[in-house]
Structure formats: C-alpha cells, structure tokens
Amino acid sequence: MTRRAVVTATGRYLPEREVPNSWFSDELGLETSDAWIQSRTGVQTRRFVDREAGEATASMATEAARRCLASAGLTGADVDGILVATVTPDHFFPSTACLVQDALGAKGAYGWDTSAACSGFLFTLAQAAAMVRSGMARRLLVIGADTMSSIIDFEDRATCVIFGDGAGCFLVEGSDEPADGELLDFVMHTDGAGGDSLKMVAGGSRHPTTAQTVAANLHVVHQDGRTVFKHAVGRMGDVVTELLERNGLSSDDVKLAIPHQANLRIIQSIAKRQGWSMDRIAVTIDRWANTTAATLPTTLDWAVEEGRLERGDLVVFATFGAGFTWGAALMRW
Ligand code: UT7
C-alpha cells in the first residue's frame, strides 16, 4: 500500500500594519516613488510587524498555525511535529518551532527550523511529505514565516522596497487512499556558488556580532538585484519545465501556478515561457510583497479563499532564493 502525503488545511497571518510604497519616500525620505516601485517590482503595499506590540516571526507563525488548525477542527495537541522555514527566527535558539510548539500548547509535538530562504517552505514541505509517506509522522504543521522588516537596510532603496512580513501554514497528513490535496512531486536544487549575490554576512559563527559588524552594516540583507533577477528567471523557469516533464505533463495541464513573489517581472517571464496567461498565476506581490518563506503558503491560502481552485486541479509551486536555492512542487487540489 502506498502512503500518500496530503495537505488537509491551510492558514495565513499577515500583520495589521500596512505600509504603502509612498512611505519610503514620504516617511523615510528615500529617493524613490510609488511609480518606480510598481513598474519595476509590481509591489503596491506590504505588511510589517508591530514590534512594540511584541510581533515577530514566532507570533505570526503561531497565528497562521492556529488558523490552519481551526479550519481542520484540530488543536496543537493533535500534531506530531511543527516544521518552520525561516531566515528570520526570533532567536538562533531556541528555534522558532519550539516557540510555536509552546504557544500552541502542542504538548506531544517535536519541531525544528529549516533555513533555505525563499525556498524554505517548499524544501520543508518536501521534508514533511517524505516523513508522512514513510510513516514516520502522521500529521505535521509546515510553516513558512519571515519578518524581513527586521533585517532589511532601509537605506538600500533597491532592496528594501521588495520585502514584507508574514506567515503561512499547511497541515500535512498521511493517507492510505488517493485524497484531495495530494503532494505529488518535488524538485529541489541548490548552487552555493551564488551565495554572494544575496546574503546577510554577520551575526553567525564566521562574523559574530561586534560593534564593528554593526558599524559596517553587516546585519542586513545585501542583494545584487540584477544577478539574482537573472538567475531567478532562468532557474525557476527551468525547474518548472523539469517538474512537468518528469511527470509527463504539459503546461496546459496546470490549473494554477503559485510562483515565489519577488518581482512581478520575474513572474511574468515564467508565465510567458510556459505559455500561461496571467489568470493562471496566483499573484499576491501587489499587496504583500516578498515575504520570503511565507510567500507560497500565504498565496495558496489566498487563492483557495478566492475560489481559484476546484477539486482535482493541478497546482505547480515554484521558488527561487538565497543560496542559491530553487525548486518546484506538484499538487493535486
Ligand atoms: O526573493 C529573493 C530573490 N530576490 C529576487 O528575486 C529579486 C531580484 N531582483 C529584483 O527584483 C530587481 O533587481 C530589484 C527590484 C531588486 C531592483 O530592480 P532593477 O530594475 O534590477 O534595478 P537596478 O538595481 O538595476 O537599478 C536600476 C536603476 C538604478 O539607477 P541608475 O543606476 O540606472 O541610474 C537604481 O539606482 O534604478 C535605480 N533604483 C531605484 N530608483 C527608484 C533602484 N531602486 C530604486 C528605487 N527607486 N527603489
């Protein structure tokens, strides 16, 4: 008997605080404009946490998980494990997963964090799928959550305008029968040679935090936008083709594509290459910007709410991020 991995519920949390493009010029005094940001990235607005109110990655992750569990009629006590993808954990340790486990009262659950930047959710979902398929786990919460506002350089106008904060969650369960929401396949890649193009240098063991690392501005995201853009277009396009080919599918078979949301121009180029009209792509970059590991689960959750999927539809996820890391996943809704 083949055990299958199925997504049985989803949930998301976006902070209340909405920050429109005009905030960067009007409040921060950056030489930028709503017109530039919209035309070059597709972002209109984003959400940032309210740190004074205690919001951070774990609190967003917990709320997304609560909403996901509530929609399944379950509580934290019902899950075996909590896997959190993030590059902005509340702390290096304890892990964000441990904070979420405690906040949910998920007494019987283990948990850990994974780090694969924008690809973090897809990679962690693959890990969860393998765990439930093998019988190692019965029911897992898979969360993508990032507080990018905690690590962006608000003086770097090319980088700071593309990010937002948020959290999304999938409940992944094992099933012995074919079931809705089945995770059918994953393709994952990394190329560490691309690491220099998108990085946060200090705060780890190589460059522990010192007054000098702070003065040198090494605790924020540094991105070579043009290089990352070029790789994102090529590699996300390639990995979607690789996923479809090895499953004997054509792009016409896909009802909805959920690509990573870093730049609307990247999304449009992937759509063009696959021959997908934009109504077959879920786009949330306009309202939430690039929420790193939260992007794929928040976008799927939103697309479902919008009625964009019917039972049996094939969904393709695609992602690209720091590392470089990239991948694609196939799901039957
Ligand atoms: O999620 C992880 C993966 N990340 C990505 O996939 C991001 C990929 N990269 C991008 O999306 C784009 O490269 C950015 C949105 C980050 C930047 O857009 P770009 O069109 O590549 O801009 P650029 O850095 O090539 O700069 C073009 C011009 C420059 O001016 P000059 O030198 O031509 O006079 C910049 O200084 O645009 C200028 N510029 C801006 N102008 C107004 C850069 N940022 C801004 C800004 N407002 N915010």
Side-chain angles (χ1 to χ4, degrees):
M1 187 161 35
T2 310
R3 194 149 175 80
R4 298 154 197 273
V6 292
V7 176
T8 53
T10 64
R12 69 174 189 269
Y13 175 79
L14 281 305
E16 287 290 305
R17 187 180 158 217
E18 187 172 343
V19 176
N21 289 342
S22 57
W23 181 79
F24 293 90
S25 50
D26 299 355
E27 301 293 324
L28 293 188
L30 288 185
E31 235 178 90
T32 187
S33 63
D34 178 43
W36 191 96
I37 300 169
Q38 281 206 44
S39 67
R40 301 304 295 167
T41 73
V43 178
Q44 295 177 20
T45 185
R46 77 282 291 137
R47 306 293 182 89
F48 284 158
V49 294
D50 182 350
R51 201 162 295 109
E52 280 170 26
E55 273 195 318
T57 299
S59 64
M60 292 195 294
T62 301
E63 192 50 39
R66 275 203 187 109
R67 292 176 184 186
C68 179
L69 285 168
S71 82
L74 299 172
T75 71
D78 299 311
V79 299
D80 298 341
I82 301 167
L83 311 187
V84 180
T86 185
V87 286
T88 50
D90 283 31
H91 329 282
F92 270 178
F93 59 88
S95 70
T96 310
C98 291
L99 303 179
V100 174
Q101 182 269 341
D102 186 42
L104 289 177
K107 294 262 182 269
Y110 47 75
W112 58 80
D113 293 1
T114 46
S115 171
C118 298
S119 307
F121 183 80
L122 191 141
F123 285 18
T124 309
L125 191 62
Q127 192 177 35
M131 288 173 70
V132 299
R133 277 188 200 129
S134 71
M136 177 187 262
R138 197 175 36 102
R139 196 180 271 151
L140 296 169
L141 287 172
V142 184
I143 302 170
D146 270 303
T147 309
M148 297 308 290
S149 64
S150 67
I151 58 165
I152 47 185
D153 177 356
F154 283 100
E155 292 181 1
D156 175 0
R157 65 179 181 170
T159 306
C160 69
V161 298
I162 70 169
F163 289 107
D165 300 338
C169 180
F170 284 4
L171 182 68
V172 179
E173 301 191 60
S175 168
D176 292 328
E177 307 296 330
D180 298 346
E182 184 175 352
L183 294 164
L184 300 168
D185 196 17
F186 291 89
V187 181
M188 292 173 282
H189 295 286
T190 64
D191 179 6
D196 218 34
S197 300
L198 183 47
K199 62 188 177 187
M200 189 171 87
V201 172
S205 57
R206 182 78 181 84
H207 298 290
T209 308
T210 62
Q212 286 81 4
T213 62
V214 173
N217 204 25
L218 299 180
H219 295 270
V220 292
V221 178
H222 290 272
Q223 174 172 255
D224 171 356
R226 284 183 204 188
T227 301
V228 176
F229 188 100
K230 200 177 74 197
H231 283 276
V233 166
R235 290 177 152 166
M236 257 206 288
D238 288 347
V239 79
V240 169
T241 301
E242 186 183 350
L243 179 81
L244 294 178
E245 277 179 7
R246 79 182 206 178
N247 284 278
L249 297 169
S250 81
S251 33
D252 281 348
D253 297 318
V254 178
K255 176 71 191 306
L256 189 69
I258 304 193
H260 181 55
Q261 315 266 322
N263 191 315
L264 185 60
R265 291 182 294 129
I266 297 175
I267 296 170
Q268 286 164 337
S269 89
I270 287 154
K272 192 169 167 204
R273 176 161 162 193
Q274 297 298 336
W276 286 327
S277 54
M278 285 304 283
D279 60 357
R280 287 167 69 188
I281 315 268
V283 175
T284 53
I285 189 170
D286 51 342
R287 73 206 65 185
W288 300 329
N290 175 2
T291 56
T292 303
T295 301
L296 298 184
T298 52
T299 301
L300 185 273
D301 185 65
W302 169 83
V304 170
E305 198 175 276
E306 294 287 300
R308 299 278 294 270
L309 285 172
E310 283 170 23
R311 200 168 168 210
D313 285 345
L314 283 179
V315 182
V316 163
F317 296 92
T319 191
F320 181 86
F324 294 134
T325 56
W326 67 104
L330 183 66
M331 175 200 226
R332 187 183 298 104
W333 187 247

